[in-house]
Amino acid sequence: MTTDAWIVFFAGIVGGALRVGVPFLFVSLGECLTEKAGRINLGLEGVLVLSAMTAFGASYLSGSPWIGVLAGALSGALLALLHGVLCSLPRVNDIATGIALMLLGMGLAFYLGKPLIQPQAPQLPAIPLGFWSDSPAVRSALQINAMLPIGLALAGLMAWAFSNTRAGLLVRMAGDSANATRALGYSVSGIRIAATAGGGLIAGLGGASLTLFYPGSWNEGISSGQGLIAVALVIFARWSPLRCTGAALLFGGAGAIGPALQSVGIGWGYHLFNIVPYVLTLLILVITCRPGVIVPGSPTELSSNR
């Protein structure tokens, strides 16, 4: 490849990481908050799909993408709230409930979203990081989602809150020791319900970024399993919001390899490179989730809730 082609290729990887990584970032931050409180939410795939459909529909009907973002976040919070309430009942399993809620969220989205497959909704504005280049291909590759700065700020805020605020310390305590939380007079169920709903709200922002920026349309295969991948991503990030940022960009960059190759005229192996995020997920699970091994940073109560 020529020098210009290499520049376009690497710009495609970087721009793709920043675009594709945005949904991963929000969903992983949402799951990080949920799991920090000692609850796992496998229903995030349903949350992501339902919030993506809701955001697109709200943007289409209102004419404002930011109203769509708000609607997507609220729908994600409501579905996650249902998960949190159900899991607080006696003898209810987190994983089984999460799978059921995933199917519910996806079913609702597919049914209610059928009229939205053809229309186009107003999209979120782009941040032009490629302004320095004269190449249209580079400028196009570096059009960044306006939600990205929000996600980065949210990751920093969460990291600070977990260490420096009363609410953050309560979330961590509920995830590390339910007995200690009860002994201090706090409701473990209440904390976990709030954290699960908050995680769903954050994940809903990721769903909104799918349909309102990249790929920027609604269809039934919009998420490609990103909600489920986020669970592995949080394990890889060791339950750290800041490391979730790096992990999301890594997964985003992995998903951008195929399109970046196509942008420089290399079509061979395009579909093969599209499976890289799924291979990474499998490797993470194989390496970290071995029987009898506790992953460093894992909230202690997660093992008892599964």
Side-chain angles (χ1 to χ4, degrees), residues 16-148:
L18 295 176
R19 282 194 304 273
V20 181
V22 170
F24 281 120
L25 174 59
F26 283 109
V27 180
S28 64
L29 289 177
E31 181 65 5
C32 181
L33 174 59
T34 301
E35 293 192 15
K36 276 285 192 180
R39 175 157 289 153
I40 187 168
N41 185 4
L42 290 184
L44 278 182
E45 179 72 6
V47 169
L48 188 67
V49 175
L50 181 61
S51 61
M53 183 280 297
T54 305
F56 188 86
S59 176
Y60 174 69
L61 294 174
S62 69
S64 169
W66 294 109
I67 291 178
V69 170
L70 179 61
L74 290 177
S75 67
L78 288 174
L79 187 59
L81 175 64
L82 178 59
H83 175 74
V85 171
L86 291 175
C87 289
S88 67
L89 300 176
R91 295 182 294 278
V92 174
N93 181 269
D94 284 15
I95 293 180
T97 305
I99 294 173
L101 267 295
M102 176 180 67
L103 296 175
L104 174 63
M106 294 175 67
L108 285 173
F110 295 166
Y111 177 73
L112 298 175
K114 287 187 180 298
L116 301 173
I117 293 177
Q118 293 298 327
Q120 275 297 315
Q123 299 289 290
L124 290 166
I127 301 174
L129 292 187
F131 62 88
W132 50 270
S133 175
D134 293 329
S135 168
V138 172
R139 291 199 299 270
S140 176
L142 295 178
Q143 292 284 320
I144 304 305
N145 191 341
M147 295 289 290
L148 178 61

Side-chain angles (χ1 to χ4, degrees), residues 1-302:
M1 289 193 297
T2 64
T3 301
D4 288 342
W6 278 109
I7 293 174
V8 171
F9 174 71
F10 284 114
I13 294 290
V14 173
L18 295 176
R19 282 194 304 273
V20 181
V22 170
F24 281 120
L25 174 59
F26 283 109
V27 180
S28 64
L29 289 177
E31 181 65 5
C32 181
L33 174 59
T34 301
E35 293 192 15
K36 276 285 192 180
R39 175 157 289 153
I40 187 168
N41 185 4
L42 290 184
L44 278 182
E45 179 72 6
V47 169
L48 188 67
V49 175
L50 181 61
S51 61
M53 183 280 297
T54 305
F56 188 86
S59 176
Y60 174 69
L61 294 174
S62 69
S64 169
W66 294 109
I67 291 178
V69 170
L70 179 61
L74 290 177
S75 67
L78 288 174
L79 187 59
L81 175 64
L82 178 59
H83 175 74
V85 171
L86 291 175
C87 289
S88 67
L89 300 176
R91 295 182 294 278
V92 174
N93 181 269
D94 284 15
I95 293 180
T97 305
I99 294 173
L101 267 295
M102 176 180 67
L103 296 175
L104 174 63
M106 294 175 67
L108 285 173
F110 295 166
Y111 177 73
L112 298 175
K114 287 187 180 298
L116 301 173
I117 293 177
Q118 293 298 327
Q120 275 297 315
Q123 299 289 290
L124 290 166
I127 301 174
L129 292 187
F131 62 88
W132 50 270
S133 175
D134 293 329
S135 168
V138 172
R139 291 199 299 270
S140 176
L142 295 178
Q143 292 284 320
I144 304 305
N145 191 341
M147 295 289 290
L148 178 61
I150 298 175
L152 296 177
L154 182 60
L157 178 63
M158 285 178 59
W160 174 81
F162 282 143
S163 299
N164 298 281
T165 67
R166 182 187 185 91
L169 294 174
L170 284 175
V171 167
R172 289 174 53 195
M173 183 167 61
D176 288 331
S177 177
N179 290 332
T181 306
R182 294 189 190 98
L184 292 175
Y186 296 102
S187 170
V188 175
S189 294
I191 294 172
R192 289 178 178 171
I193 289 172
T196 304
L201 186 146
I202 295 171
L205 297 174
S209 70
L210 278 175
T211 49
L212 298 181
F213 189 82
Y214 181 84
S217 61
W218 161 249
N219 63 76
E220 295 181 356
I222 190 73
S223 74
S224 302
Q226 292 183 44
L228 292 173
I229 291 175
V231 178
L233 196 151
V234 172
I235 298 172
F236 179 64
R238 296 295 190 268
W239 291 270
S240 165
L242 295 179
R243 284 196 288 266
C244 281
T245 301
L249 293 178
L250 173 64
F251 273 70
I257 294 175
L261 287 173
Q262 277 200 325
S263 70
V264 294
I266 300 177
W268 181 89
Y270 170 77
H271 295 292
L272 182 63
F273 282 105
N274 284 343
I275 70 171
V276 173
Y278 306 101
V279 174
L280 281 177
T281 302
L282 182 61
L283 288 175
I284 290 170
L285 292 177
V286 169
I287 293 171
T288 59
C289 298
R290 290 174 290 175
V293 176
I294 298 177
V295 182
S298 170
T300 308
E301 291 290 324
L302 280 183

